[in-house]
Amino acid sequence: MEIEDVDEVVPIAATSILNPWSRDMLLGEVAHPFSHCFLICREEEDVPLGFICFRNVGEESELLNICIDPMHQKKGLGKRLMEFYIDFCCQKGVKKYYLEVNPQNIPAFRLYQSFAYQEAGKRKNFYQGKYDALLMER
Ligand SMILES: CC(C)(COP(=O)(O)OP(=O)(O)OC[C@H]1O[C@@H](n2cnc3c(N)ncnc32)[C@H](O)[C@@H]1OP(=O)(O)O)[C@@H](O)C(=O)NCCC(=O)NCCS
C-alpha cells in the first residue's frame, strides 16, 4: 500500500466494526519506518479488496490490522493475506509474532488460531478505554 492507495482503502477499513481505522491512521501506518502495509487486489482491475499492516522490529512482528471488504469475506482472502504475511516475515528472520484481538471478533480470532496463534494474556480496557483485548502470540 502506498500513500496514493489510502483513499481507496479508507472505505474498507471503515467497515471493521470492532477495529475501524481512519484515513489518518492508515496514512500514519504507511509512513511509519517499521511498518509494512500490503493490499490484496482483484487481479484484472487492481482494485483493493483488503489490506494488512504489521510492524517488524528485529525478530519480532506485531500484526496491527487485517481487513477484507465485507463483500469479499469468507472467500479465503484473509487466509491468503495471512499466508503472505507469515511467509514475508519468515524470509526477514521473524521468530515471534504478536497481535491483539477483540475476543468478540470470532472471525479474526479463528483466523489467527488457524495460523497457530495462541492466547497469551489480556490487555485491560484496550479498546476505547473500556473493552479488553486478547493478546495472542505465535
Ligand atoms: C477477519 C477477516 C480478515 C477474515 O477474512 P476472510 O477473508 O473473511 O477470511 P477467510 O475466508 O480467508 O477465512 C479464513 C479463516 O478465518 C476464519 N473465519 C473467517 N470468517 C469467519 C467467520 N465468519 N466465523 C468463524 N470463523 C471465520 C476461519 O477459520 C476461516 O477458515 P475456514 O474457512 O477454513 O473455516 C475478516 O472477517 C475481516 O475483515 N473482518 C473485519 C476486520 C477485522 O475485524 N479484522 C481483524 C482486526 S484484529
Side-chain angles (χ1 to χ4, degrees):
M1 192 192 314
E2 307 290 345
I3 297 278
E4 55 269 27
D5 299 314
V6 165
D7 282 340
E8 271 192 291
V9 176
V10 170
I12 299 174
T15 63
S16 173
I17 298 159
L18 293 170
N19 186 31
W21 273 21
S22 64
R23 184 172 185 276
D24 283 351
M25 289 167 84
L26 285 161
L27 285 171
E29 219 41 58
V30 171
H32 193 283
F34 295 132
S35 196
H36 301 273
C37 296
F38 290 93
L39 300 173
I40 188 159
C41 294
R42 201 197 307 267
E43 210 170 322
E44 63 275 19
E45 295 166 39
D46 233 21
V47 175
L49 303 178
F51 68 93
I52 189 165
C53 294
F54 52 94
R55 288 187 190 179
N56 289 1
V57 179
E59 295 186 346
E60 297 188 357
S61 179
E62 183 177 14
L63 177 56
L64 301 174
N65 202 352
I66 175 170
C67 188
I68 302 294
D69 181 334
M71 299 285 286
H72 297 277
Q73 288 177 8
K74 288 297 288 166
K75 297 179 182 174
L77 296 180
K79 185 176 173 196
R80 280 175 64 183
L81 269 183
M82 284 298 294
E83 285 168 350
F84 168 82
Y85 165 55
I86 301 289
D87 190 48
F88 178 93
C89 289
C90 271
Q91 289 183 36
K92 302 276 181 206
V94 170
K95 304 262 188 323
K96 204 85 194 158
Y97 297 79
Y98 299 98
L99 60 83
E100 281 104 16
V101 62
N102 187 323
Q104 294 171 32
N105 193 345
I106 301 300
F109 179 72
R110 294 259 182 267
L111 176 66
Y112 304 144
Q113 269 188 327
S114 74
F115 279 84
Y117 280 83
Q118 295 182 341
E119 296 181 39
K122 262 187 193 167
R123 293 206 197 283
K124 293 293 283 177
N125 304 328
F126 185 79
Y127 296 109
Q128 295 125 45
K130 359 182 209 181
Y131 305 110
D132 295 350
L134 195 60
L135 181 63
M136 299 185 81
E137 63 181 36
R138 176 191 194 268

